[in-house]
Amino acid sequence: MEEIAFFDSGIGGLTVLKETIKILPFENYIYFADIDNVPYGTKPKEEVRKYIFDAVDFLIKQKAKMIVIACNTATSVAIKDLRKNFSIPIVGMEPAVKPALEKNGNKKVLVLATSLTLAEQKLKELIETYDKNHQVDKLPLDGLVRFAENFDFESQDVINYLKNEFAKININEYGTLVLGCTHFLYFKKAIKNLIPKETLLIDGNEGTARNIKRILCEKSLINNNGNSNIKFFASKKENSQLARLWKDLLDSYNP
Ligand code: DGL
């Protein structure tokens, strides 16, 4: 029984898994969260790279047929080296800058992500390629990762944090906000309440799910029937309680 393995520093990647199950309902899945080391986005690149390689080694030992790096930060830091070192298909994520610019006309685009994603060469190259009219700005929202790991998605503390961060820019200038961190998807409602009604929020989850399906099809690795199963793993030794919490979150999360 070969699985598709999803990896994130914490619960963010569950949002990508949910989107993927919708279009690949007969696959078996592994979800691995590196909760000993979350958050990644505020740590030095070399330290994060080591965590990622450890996680991928673990997932390869589970005999996964594909690995999905359901984390923009981990993708920015390590996707090239991972593909050099491992031969199984590895799918990554990147902030949805291109679709944001296509949808946006001539209004500005704001990329929301972790500090590490925003500092990385990968995003710089993406912006250089598509942002011909210099419409793209960036804003780190590292605090949301901590809130998410505490399952706190809409408390007054979350709202105050967002208000504070948005006060650093003129939010009304932006036609589209890109959710460039998988943890941020849980805060769609909180963010929507603080921005103009017509501002679009976009993310890369649906595109990533389609990409996963396309690659499985190309490699004849797709499962077309049977029951879908999900195994949860965390870097902490004891994780049975967490697995239950994650399963509930996955069931209740509504993109
Ligand atoms: N979920 C991750 C992302 O998509 C990062 C969270 C973290 O800082 O660990 O960027």
Side-chain angles (χ1 to χ4, degrees):
M1 191 161 71
E2 286 200 315
E3 283 111 347
I4 305 174
F6 278 68
F7 158 59
D8 184 30
S9 57
I11 62 168
L14 290 172
T15 66
V16 193
L17 174 58
K18 180 93 178 203
E19 208 65 60
T20 308
I21 293 171
K22 271 198 219 159
I23 59 167
L24 290 167
F26 302 119
E27 296 292 334
N28 293 299
Y29 295 96
I30 289 175
Y31 188 82
F32 177 85
D34 188 9
I35 52 166
D36 283 356
N37 300 310
V38 66
Y40 282 177
T42 48
K43 296 200 167 87
K45 180 175 172 168
E46 285 316 313
E47 184 183 336
V48 172
R49 189 196 301 268
K50 186 193 167 300
Y51 299 146
I52 299 165
F53 269 81
D54 288 349
V56 170
D57 273 335
F58 171 80
L59 294 172
I60 297 233
K61 285 196 191 110
Q62 306 303 309
K63 306 219 179 317
K65 65 179 173 183
M66 168 187 267
I67 293 176
V68 180
I69 310 293
C71 173
N72 293 264
T73 311
T75 303
S76 315
V77 167
I79 193 90
K80 277 191 192 153
D81 292 345
L82 288 172
R83 289 189 178 133
K84 266 188 224 152
N85 280 273
F86 300 103
S87 57
I88 78 164
I90 301 181
V91 176
M93 303 202 60
E94 64 185 13
V97 170
K98 183 173 177 251
L101 285 167
E102 282 166 3
K103 284 203 177 116
N104 203 48
N106 46 19
K107 278 195 129 182
K108 286 174 80 178
V109 168
L110 184 65
V111 180
L112 307 172
T114 66
S115 295
L116 194 48
T117 300
L118 295 181
E120 272 307 294
Q121 187 58 22
K122 193 165 188 308
L123 182 65
K124 285 198 187 110
E125 284 168 14
L126 184 72
I127 293 176
E128 261 165 40
T129 309
Y130 297 108
D131 185 20
K132 299 294 175 212
N133 301 322
H134 304 292
Q135 291 163 258
V136 178
D137 290 337
K138 307 179 223 172
L139 182 70
L141 290 179
D142 297 296
L144 289 185
V145 179
R146 279 260 176 247
F147 284 120
E149 289 302 312
N150 292 323
F151 288 72
D152 178 0
F153 307 123
E154 49 186 354
S155 70
Q156 197 54 46
D157 287 347
V158 169
I159 293 158
N160 291 344
Y161 170 77
L162 284 170
K163 276 189 180 161
N164 217 20
E165 296 307 310
F166 287 164
K168 296 174 182 169
I169 49 159
N170 178 3
I171 197 76
N172 299 323
E173 282 183 359
Y174 298 96
T176 304
L177 307 192
V178 176
L179 300 175
C181 168
T182 52
H183 279 77
F184 296 178
L185 281 273
Y186 297 109
F187 301 94
K188 266 188 185 174
K189 205 171 127 202
I191 293 173
K192 272 191 186 151
N193 285 334
L194 296 173
I195 60 177
K197 261 200 188 66
E198 63 281 8
T199 308
L200 295 174
L201 273 190
I202 70 163
D203 61 76
N205 280 9
E206 217 185 299
T208 303
R210 279 201 305 271
N211 207 13
I212 293 167
K213 186 171 181 177
R214 179 183 56 77
I215 295 168
L216 289 177
C217 287
E218 275 169 19
K219 299 193 179 293
S220 306
L221 286 172
I222 215 141
N223 248 3
N224 280 320
N225 46 44
N227 292 319
S228 178
N229 179 46
I230 309 169
K231 282 190 218 156
F232 293 94
F233 294 96
S235 47
K236 274 219 172 79
K237 280 190 194 92
E238 219 302 81
N239 66 47
S240 55
Q241 258 180 331
L242 278 175
R244 210 167 315 125
L245 280 177
W246 292 342
K247 176 79 177 66
D248 289 348
L249 182 63
L250 184 68
D251 289 344
S252 63
Y253 169 72
N254 192 7

